[in-house]
């Protein structure tokens, strides 16, 4: 991740993206990262899905896949961290070169395929106290014959150590996984997942992560199923298969999920649509193309209560965290508001009327 932990942006940009990511994680483990210099302004704090967030800026799933550094990321100034995606068993993911970076597009394409060490390896790393919220992103194994069963077992196994759980059914890099977003399949999944959560000794809030490529006509039924099954929130959104607007043709030809600046409009419009469909009654996490304070404010105004970053940090570095917090405070000041709640969803109608 370019410049993220003070290792030198030029150096990391010269290294292949997957190696740069591995170096960034290792630097965190070694304590080579910038700490947040001042406590968060209290106006950034929220209680969402029953959890206390010091600020709304989170590290998205995909960076700390194996729950190696959640405490270090919180110390950098994130209000929360989502680890994973974690599958029941360890898996290598897809073969070959599988992350591609485009500086002209401020974007990344990945086709990793849920590479991780498995849930059992992450469990001890997530035990104990921490100063912040840590969610666990759960996925199904690539070769699983019972994908719903994988989510059920993941809920049972990870509930004791998770502040919240995210069901990831939206990665484009596990063949057939997005089929679970279809209303009938989603209903079957959520019924079993909620049953497993009900049987757990601890019941963390449950979120569902959706793809930005869902057709407008399909979204109302999907949201209806999510609400009917008592899900606590929706993460909008995962990476996209679209290549609209890319400048780098060689980059655009790579297969996999696209993240970064080109995803912003598509993901933000979908966020606003979900906000309107839920009438603002369901917690939404906005993700996709946040690489500036202005982009973060736009996500909040489109309907997000919380935000997640990843690709933006690759290009902007750790200062992006503080920049976003400052932009949110300025937006509250301009609105003469003393909390983020006054900003959430105020521009949702403007976004849903646009076509991307």
């Amino acid at each position: 991740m370019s410049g993220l932990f003070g290792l030198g942006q030029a150096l990391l940009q010269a290294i292949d993206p997957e190696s740069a990511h591995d170096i960034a994680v290792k630097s965190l483990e070694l304590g080579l990262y910038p700490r947040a210099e001042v406590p968060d302004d209290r106006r950034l704090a929220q209680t969402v899905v029953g959890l206390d967030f010091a600020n709304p800026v989170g590290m998205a799933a995909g960076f700390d896949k194996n729950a190696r550094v959640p405490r270090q990321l919180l110390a950098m100034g994130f209000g929360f961290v989502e680890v994973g995606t974690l599958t029941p068993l360890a898996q290598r993911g897809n073969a070959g070169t599988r992350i591609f970076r485009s500086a002209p597009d401020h974007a990344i394409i990945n086709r990793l395929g849920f590479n991780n060490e498995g849930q059992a390896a992450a469990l001890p790393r997530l035990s104990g106290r921490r100063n912040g919220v840590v969610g666990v992103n759960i996925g199904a194994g690539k070769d699983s014959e019972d994908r719903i069963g994988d989510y059920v077992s993941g809920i049972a196994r990870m509930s004791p150590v998770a502040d919240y759980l995210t069901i990831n059914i939206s990665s484009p890099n596990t063949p057939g996984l997005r089929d679970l977003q279809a209303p009938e399949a989603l209903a079957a999944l959520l019924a079993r997942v909620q049953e497993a959560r009900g049987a757990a000794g601890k019941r963390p809030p449950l979120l569902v992560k959706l793809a930005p490529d869902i057709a407008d006509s399909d979204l109302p039924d999907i949201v209806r199923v999510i609400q009917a099954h008592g899900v606590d929130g929706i993460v909008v959104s995962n990476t996209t298969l679209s290549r609209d607007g890319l400048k780098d043709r060689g980059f655009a030809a790579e297969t996999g999920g696209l993240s970064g600046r080109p995803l912003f409009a598509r993901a933000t419009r979908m966020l606003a649509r979900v906000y309107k469909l839920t009438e603002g009654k369901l917690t939404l996490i906005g993700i996709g193309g946040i690489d500036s304070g202005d982009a973060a404010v736009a996500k909040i105004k489109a309907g997000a209560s919380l935000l997640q970053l990843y690709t933006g940090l690759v290009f902007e570095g750790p200062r992006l965290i503080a920049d976003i917090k400052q932009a949110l405070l300025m937006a509250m000041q301009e609105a003469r508001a003393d909390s983020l709640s006054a900003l959430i969803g105020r521009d949702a109608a403007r976004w849903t009327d646009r076509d991307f």
Side-chain angles (χ1 to χ4, degrees), residues 293-307:
D294 288 345
V297 171
K299 288 281 189 188
I300 295 290
K301 290 182 177 180
S305 295
L306 301 168
L307 308 168

Side-chain angles (χ1 to χ4, degrees), residues 75-324:
M76 285 182 60
F78 286 105
F80 67 109
V81 175
E82 188 169 310
V83 303
T85 298
L86 290 164
T87 54
L89 300 175
Q91 57 183 38
R92 294 184 177 181
N94 297 320
T97 304
R98 49 193 188 173
I99 307 180
F100 306 87
R101 182 175 54 215
S102 172
D105 291 303
H106 274 238
I108 286 175
I109 291 172
N110 93 81
R111 48 175 181 259
L112 288 162
F114 285 171
N115 58 309
N116 73 108
E117 297 171 3
Q119 292 163 5
L123 274 171
R125 300 170 186 157
L126 292 168
S127 62
R129 298 179 62 84
R130 55 220 177 205
N131 295 318
V133 174
V134 178
V136 177
N137 186 296
I138 295 174
K142 181 179 180 180
D143 300 321
S144 174
E145 296 182 358
D146 180 10
R147 286 183 170 166
I148 290 180
D150 281 4
Y151 289 103
V152 169
S153 65
I155 291 288
R157 179 178 287 170
M158 304 309 296
S159 286
V161 297
D163 292 323
Y164 71 86
L165 295 159
T166 297
I167 302 299
N168 185 354
I169 52 173
S170 51
S171 170
N173 298 316
T174 297
L177 187 73
R178 287 186 169 187
D179 294 344
L180 289 172
Q181 295 178 133
E184 186 174 346
L186 181 58
L189 167 67
L190 292 178
R192 289 188 59 190
V193 162
Q194 290 287 40
E195 182 180 1
R197 191 168 70 118
K202 178 187 172 189
R203 291 170 52 90
L206 181 70
L207 289 79
V208 174
K209 188 169 186 175
L210 296 178
D213 303 322
I214 294 172
D216 281 356
S217 58
D218 294 335
L219 192 58
D221 284 341
I222 292 170
V223 170
R224 175 184 54 78
V225 169
I226 289 173
Q227 289 186 292
H229 284 83
V231 173
D232 298 288
I234 302 175
V235 183
V236 186
S237 65
N238 213 317
T239 57
T240 181
L241 293 173
S242 171
R243 299 294 184 264
D244 291 346
L246 293 183
K247 304 170 185 175
D248 186 334
R249 293 184 180 181
F251 173 72
E254 297 293 346
T255 60
L258 173 75
S259 60
R261 188 176 293 173
L263 176 59
F264 177 78
R266 175 184 289 265
T268 307
R269 178 178 180 268
M270 180 177 171
L271 172 70
R273 289 205 70 221
V274 174
Y275 179 82
K276 291 188 71 175
L277 287 168
T278 61
E279 299 179 332
K281 296 176 182 178
L282 204 63
T283 294
L284 306 181
I285 298 182
I287 179 173
I290 301 175
D291 60 5
S292 68
D294 288 345
V297 171
K299 288 281 189 188
I300 295 290
K301 290 182 177 180
S305 295
L306 301 168
L307 308 168
Q308 287 183 335
L309 321 175
Y310 183 176
T311 301
L313 291 163
V314 172
F315 297 100
E316 302 303 324
R319 73 174 188 275
L320 180 60
I321 304 168
D323 288 350
I324 288 173

